Amino acid sequence: MAHLDQYRCCYYDDGRVLLDWQNSTLDELLSFRALERPDQRQFAVLGDGENVTDEMTFKQAHDWACLVAGLLTRFVPERSRVLLCFDNGMEAIAGFFGCAYANMVPVSGVYPSSVGSRDRLFDILDDSQAVAVIGLRQTLMDFRRQAEGRGKGVKWVPIEGAQKAEPLYRHHATGMDDTALVQYTSGSVGRPRGVCITHRNLGANLSRLLERTGFYDGGLGLSWLPLSHDMGLMIGLLIGVVAGGPCWLMLPQHFIEKPQRWVEAIDRYRVGFSAGPNFAYELCAHHVSDEQAQRLDLSCWRRSVIGAEMIEEDSVATFFKRFESSNLAQTVLRPGYGMAETTLMIASGGRQGHEVVSFGRFSRSALACKHVESPQHEDDARVLASCGKVIEDHVILVVDPESEDVLPEGCVGELWLSGPSITPGYLNRDDENRERFSFEHDGKRFFRSRDMGFFHQGELYVTGRMENQIMFEGRVFDPDDLAHVVRVACPVFKGRSLAIFRQNDDLCVLGEVAASVPSAQREALAWTMVRALARVCPIVRSMRIVLVRPGGICRTPSGKIRLSATRTALEEGGLPVLDDQQFGEERLKTVEVINRPEMRL
């Protein structure tokens, strides 16, 4: 093991010691902390969703990772790609850093307990050409039994074998621009892609993430996000190691089963930092009663990142109202925008109180024509969350996707991204890399994000994905916006229970409802949905309302809606349809477009 004086560090006036991100590699993150503060209890998991069932110090994690490295070198050569197959837990941490210590390339993207994990694992194996899979013995046995001829020639390495291995750690002469890990995208648009993240990308993004979130002065961190997801890996594991501050784990399934476990754990363990997508804050607000909220003390919760999907004003307002009696600071939420292709984050709110999550009201009809104006009336208002400002050393341009002209503030266009956090490209996708990662402007390399957005008063607003845009008569509508309109009119639809897309000449809306809802109420619900949509997109001449059983909409392992897959499944008759109604032009004329009371089932 190296000595502390062999690491390049930065020393701060407040006593913090951080590795120099411009000259430090992934394998050094943990080994440095194992020397600098070996006995700090850094990692723990709430294995039952409430109590600490396992924990490790920096030194224990380092020693275990050395054993894993020794195990892996018995089976595969250096620089091989190794697929990680772990739920959140101590084994996942040892497996990840063990790959780094053995000079392998960990491949992240499979969460064994998630729905559809079998197909995702074998798809990623095929796409990444990983030569080995590492995980718990029982997990690997379960996947191998379901292989159906896939994964031939792959080595399945149970992590339990590390206890009998010879420990291995050595500092590798790895270049900063070599691939440190491959992170697979969720696959909400198209097939999952393996993003090649370099050591330089990691260092640059983690350093900016640390500055923007203020994790180092926020006390204990807690994350239920899967470590197989980019946000879970960076915020649930790596940011704590970089900062030298403990970050504990919950299992995603325990949060989904009982969302109140998240805030109860924050109270019980005095957590200062956490993160989650919009739906998580909404779930917490809906599942915690007034009485339960009054018993909580969330004054310790200083900062929490909100991102990974569109941030909704209603969800944020409901969240703050629910925990008003819990001493929750109104400055806790920090917005963020990014993706695996930017390592994680490229824009965010800062550490000052005025840079918390905030919202702007814009004209929906103007945005549909790709420019920014104030709304003409209430039905024309679209509320968007500010994603904050671009992180230091990075650039975001708003570009006309057809002419490739850079657009000024106040125009909507494709977001082009540049900076040291931008990854070199996708694994084994040379053509797509040339299309997405090779654009130059003003001497800088830019990545075409395929996200649409604009700047307003210096802050970034994202309007949606280009692939998901719905176009009628030259005007562009975003399915997330239309889904929000429907949810406001029909509160029976929660979070991610609506899928909206264009199907031929129809605006097609799929909503998940319980099979127990009577047909008469389903009929009334369909009319309410049509009324709501007719108010905001009156140019649409035909709508199709399809109600399906819960779980009928296609989703990624992280819960994001897969619009293209859902549309295909509908066309092929593969959805559990409860009701299917067509509203043609003549029928739409009978719809009385007025404000009506909310409909509840």
Side-chain angles (χ1 to χ4, degrees), residues 109-405:
V110 175
Y111 194 80
S113 297
S114 66
V115 176
S117 60
R118 182 199 65 176
D119 290 340
R120 184 171 173 87
L121 180 140
F122 287 108
D123 285 347
I124 290 177
L125 267 182
D126 291 342
D127 187 77
S128 68
Q129 299 174 356
V131 300
V133 183
I134 186 168
L136 288 168
R137 179 174 284 107
Q138 187 59 54
T139 301
L140 300 186
M141 288 174 60
D142 291 342
F143 278 111
R144 292 189 71 179
R145 278 196 292 263
Q146 303 173 66
E148 297 178 352
R150 302 181 71 180
K152 290 181 178 178
V154 171
K155 292 182 169 58
W156 301 80
V157 184
I159 196 170
E160 290 90 338
Q163 300 308 318
K164 297 181 180 179
E166 287 293 322
L168 169 69
Y169 173 77
R170 60 179 181 276
H171 178 66
H172 304 287
T174 303
M176 292 297 295
D177 295 315
D178 289 342
T179 300
L181 70 119
V182 175
Q183 174 65 57
Y184 269 79
T185 62
S186 64
S188 58
V189 179
R191 293 189 64 183
R193 299 168 175 84
V195 180
C196 299
I197 300 175
T198 68
H199 296 278
R200 191 181 308 279
N201 294 152
L202 276 177
N205 207 249
L206 284 165
S207 67
R208 298 310 179 204
L209 188 63
L210 202 58
E211 292 171 1
R212 289 295 182 100
T213 62
F215 173 81
Y216 52 80
D217 62 357
L220 174 66
L222 175 69
S223 173
W224 55 266
L225 300 165
L227 292 177
S228 57
H229 188 275
D230 55 352
M231 193 173 179
L233 180 64
M234 294 285 283
I235 287 180
L237 174 60
L238 293 183
I239 192 173
V241 178
V242 169
C247 199
W248 294 3
L249 299 172
M250 289 176 60
L251 275 64
Q253 54 266 43
H254 288 154
F255 166 72
I256 297 299
E257 288 168 2
K258 243 182 117 176
Q260 57 266 43
R261 284 173 170 154
W262 186 22
V263 287
E264 288 172 351
I266 288 171
D267 177 14
R268 183 182 304 118
Y269 298 107
R270 311 312 296 158
V271 171
F273 176 79
S274 195
N278 183 87
F279 86 88
Y281 299 94
E282 183 179 349
L283 274 180
C284 271
H286 286 302
H287 283 80
V288 175
S289 67
D290 289 339
E291 184 181 350
Q292 288 172 319
Q294 288 172 3
R295 292 199 299 264
L296 293 171
D297 176 15
L298 300 180
S299 59
C300 57
W301 197 1
R302 302 180 62 182
R303 294 181 181 86
S304 197
V305 176
I306 179 170
E309 62 183 4
M310 299 295 276
I311 304 171
E312 296 187 355
E313 185 180 37
D314 295 346
S315 301
V316 171
T318 303
F319 174 74
F320 280 122
K321 182 174 177 58
R322 169 62 66 216
F323 297 106
E324 189 176 14
S325 62
S326 307
N327 300 316
L328 179 67
Q330 295 291 306
T331 56
V332 66
L333 293 186
R334 295 291 190 276
Y337 167 71
M339 59 204 74
E341 292 88 341
T342 64
T343 309
L344 181 64
M345 178 187 72
I346 193 167
S348 79
R351 297 182 55 224
Q352 304 303 316
H354 64 277
E355 292 176 309
V356 299
V357 64
S358 60
F359 297 88
R361 293 168 63 82
F362 305 98
S363 166
R364 182 179 281 109
S365 57
L367 292 176
C369 297
K370 300 184 180 179
H371 59 270
V372 180
E373 293 179 2
S374 298
Q376 302 171 26
H377 48 78
E378 189 59 31
D379 287 338
D380 187 43
R382 182 178 181 188
V383 179
L384 290 170
S386 165
C387 296
K389 298 181 183 296
V390 183
I391 62 176
E392 293 74 7
D393 304 325
H394 291 71
V395 177
I396 297 181
L397 298 179
V398 179
V399 178
D400 184 311
E402 295 180 2
S403 69
E404 298 181 3
D405 293 331

Side-chain angles (χ1 to χ4, degrees), residues 26 53 64 77 101 110 238 278 326 347 502 519 562:
L26 174 60
T53 56
W64 194 356
Y101 284 6
V110 175
L238 293 183
N278 183 87
S326 307
R502 180 167 180 167
S519 60
R562 300 171 61 205

